[in-house]
Amino acid sequence: ETSVDDFKLMLNSIYDSKIKKLKEKLKQKVKNTIAAIKARSNRKVQHSNKVVELLKRLNRVKTESQISKKSFENEVLRFHMKQSQYREKVKRIEQNTIMLKEVSFPISSK
């Protein structure tokens, strides 16, 4: 009986050590899996932050281009207004020139 009891103890000891090793392996795998998930998560967060930064830059560029567009449109409007004013002046000058040609000045000879 003692040899059977010794054999049982030996089997239990082997079983316990195998279970202990398996638990340690499982713990290590869980730690590695958690570490991998955290690393992926951190990369995703960094990628997300880069995307957010790019979107902010895109919005800044878009805003600057809209401001530039408005400024250009204002310049074009000013140009058209000046062009219109100059055309009016040219018309008046042409009309005055025509009127002057039509009016005959008497030349006095003394």
Side-chain angles (χ1 to χ4, degrees):
E1 283 183 23
T2 56
S3 73
V4 171
D5 287 340
D6 287 343
F7 186 70
K8 279 184 180 179
L9 283 174
M10 185 178 71
L11 283 178
N12 281 338
S13 174
I14 292 171
Y15 176 77
D16 288 342
S17 68
K18 289 279 186 187
I19 291 294
K20 188 176 179 181
K21 284 180 183 177
L22 286 173
K23 282 183 179 179
E24 285 301 317
K25 276 187 177 179
L26 182 62
K27 276 184 186 179
Q28 194 58 44
K29 280 189 176 185
V30 167
K31 283 182 182 179
N32 290 343
T33 303
I34 289 172
I37 289 171
K38 283 183 180 178
R40 273 188 231 129
S41 174
N42 286 341
R43 281 194 303 271
K44 297 280 183 190
V45 166
Q46 288 171 352
H47 179 72
S48 176
N49 289 342
K50 286 179 183 176
V51 168
V52 167
E53 183 58 35
L54 286 173
L55 286 173
K56 284 180 183 177
R57 269 198 242 160
L58 181 64
N59 280 338
R60 277 196 300 269
V61 168
K62 185 178 175 185
T63 302
E64 289 170 3
S65 70
Q66 287 172 344
I67 290 170
S68 293
K69 179 184 173 193
K70 284 292 180 190
S71 178
F72 177 75
E73 288 171 348
N74 287 339
E75 285 295 318
V76 167
L77 188 60
R78 276 191 287 261
F79 172 77
H80 285 300
M81 287 174 60
K82 283 186 178 187
Q83 188 181 36
S84 182
Q85 289 171 352
Y86 290 140
R87 283 186 180 149
E88 281 296 314
K89 283 182 181 180
V90 166
K91 273 185 180 177
R92 281 195 305 257
I93 290 172
E94 287 173 346
Q95 287 173 350
N96 287 340
T97 305
I98 291 172
M99 286 176 54
L100 283 174
K101 284 181 181 179
E102 290 175 351
V103 173
S104 61
F105 292 101
I107 301 175
S108 63
S109 56
K110 287 190 178 180

